[in-house]
């Protein structure tokens, strides 16, 4: 795997070929990318709604009505669509839940290590709750870490993707009852295979020059 070739191959797909579908055997890898993403204190403050049927995509497309209609075709023509959702709050009970799962998975050799880890989780969470007062923003940051990891990951599978922030978050929250479950919609990512008529497919990539963004010390 040549990472530079993959980085140059992937791009924000503007038009999918609706006749091409992601093979079922790749779905496990897609879910693994979502599940195994890093997050601060291993908080994993996310939930994912994955649409791989026409009916499912139509439900997600409700978030592209009205002002956001420019994204409707990207949802409906995609093979799969993932709605990334973030927790709206993070409770001590949830932190204990995460820690208990870590313990079950064998991450702590002693009970005292588990309690130390849980204490550290609570300390860093309280910094965002009470000192910085940016808990929701912090939780969304973890979801964006996942999205970045996901976009590169699906490219290694030869799958095209388009992240969409231009969506009606409230409409999607209502469609799936997310707020009642303690979540809110953040970003949708369409997955599939580029259409030959996608204008963005053959445009050269453009990035700031190396001299402007790197300082080597």
């Amino acid at each position: 795997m040549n990472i530079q070739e993959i980085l140059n191959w992937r791009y924000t797909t503007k038009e999918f070929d609706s006749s091409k579908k992601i093979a079922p055997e790749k779905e496990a890898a897609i879910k693994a990318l979502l599940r195994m993403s890093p997050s601060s204190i291993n908080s994993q403050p996310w939930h994912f709604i994955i649409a791989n049927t026409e009916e499912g995509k139509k439900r997600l497309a409700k978030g592209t009505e009205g002002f956001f209609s420019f994204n409707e075709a990207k949802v409906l023509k995609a093979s799969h669509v993932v709605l990334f959702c973030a927790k709206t709050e993070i409770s001590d009970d949830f932190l204990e839940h995460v820690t208990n799962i870590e313990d079950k998975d064998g991450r702590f050799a002693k009970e005292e290590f588990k309690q130390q880890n849980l204490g550290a989780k609570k300390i860093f969470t309280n910094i965002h709750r009470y000192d910085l007062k940016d808990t929701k923003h912090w939780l969304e940051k973890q979801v964006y870490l996942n999205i970045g990891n996901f976009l590169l990951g699906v490219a290694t599978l030869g799958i095209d993707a388009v992240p969409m922030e231009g969506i009606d978050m409230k409409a999607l929250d209502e469609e799936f009852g997310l707020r009642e479950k303690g979540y809110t919609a953040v970003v949708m990512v369409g997955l599939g295979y580029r259409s030959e008529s996608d204008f963005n497919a053959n445009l050269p990539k453009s990035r700031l020059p190396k001299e402007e963004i790197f300082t080597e010390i």
Side-chain angles (χ1 to χ4, degrees):
M1 179 176 64
N2 185 311
I3 191 65
Q4 289 186 313
E5 288 180 2
I6 292 171
L7 288 168
N8 285 318
W9 177 84
R10 72 143 303 277
Y11 76 110
T12 299
T13 305
K14 300 296 185 179
E15 183 181 351
F16 289 108
D17 183 340
S18 59
S19 69
K20 296 181 179 179
K21 303 300 180 184
I22 295 170
E25 55 266 27
K26 289 189 176 182
E27 291 183 348
I30 289 170
K31 290 179 180 177
L33 284 167
L34 295 168
R35 184 167 176 259
M36 301 303 291
S37 173
S39 59
S40 179
I41 63 169
N42 199 27
S43 53
Q44 306 166 72
W46 45 55
H47 186 80
F48 313 101
I49 296 173
I50 304 174
N52 58 9
T53 65
E54 295 308 307
E55 181 59 33
K57 287 184 288 184
K58 286 178 182 178
R59 289 187 69 186
L60 286 179
K62 291 181 180 180
T64 64
E65 293 175 355
F67 178 78
F68 301 107
S69 60
F70 55 87
N71 274 328
E72 182 179 24
K74 299 185 187 79
V75 175
L76 296 178
K77 290 187 176 182
S79 171
H80 291 52
V81 183
V82 180
L83 177 62
F84 287 72
C85 310
K87 288 184 75 67
T88 54
E89 300 290 343
I90 187 164
S91 66
D92 284 352
D93 285 346
F94 181 76
L95 294 177
E96 290 174 8
H97 172 61
V98 170
T99 306
N100 286 335
I101 291 175
E102 291 173 330
D103 189 24
K104 183 180 177 181
D105 289 337
R107 290 187 59 82
F108 309 116
K110 297 180 180 180
E111 176 64 22
E112 64 185 279
F113 297 162
K114 175 183 176 181
Q115 295 307 317
Q116 289 170 359
N117 181 277
L118 178 58
K121 283 186 175 76
K122 290 180 178 179
I123 287 171
F124 283 105
T125 299
N126 283 337
I127 288 173
H128 291 280
R129 281 176 181 153
Y130 304 117
D131 301 334
L132 299 177
K133 297 177 175 61
D134 68 343
T135 305
K136 291 182 180 179
H137 184 51
W138 178 55
L139 296 176
E140 279 195 359
K141 283 181 179 180
Q142 311 317 311
V143 176
Y144 273 88
L145 281 176
N146 195 311
I147 294 167
N149 184 72
F150 187 68
L151 293 176
L152 179 58
V154 294
T156 68
L157 300 172
I159 296 172
D160 289 306
V162 54
M164 293 171 276
E165 288 184 307
I167 55 177
D168 188 334
M169 315 292 188
K170 183 178 180 181
L172 290 167
D173 284 358
E174 292 176 350
E175 174 66 19
F176 297 100
L178 292 173
R179 296 180 187 180
E180 293 80 3
K181 299 171 185 174
Y183 293 94
T184 186
V186 177
V187 172
M188 274 201 295
V189 176
L191 302 173
Y193 299 98
R194 64 192 71 178
S195 168
E196 291 183 2
S197 58
D198 185 356
F199 75 92
N200 205 32
N202 296 313
L203 292 178
K205 280 187 176 287
S206 177
R207 296 293 188 270
L208 293 171
K210 297 176 184 178
E211 297 77 17
E212 190 171 333
I213 64 171
F214 296 123
T215 297
E216 297 189 36
I217 58 174

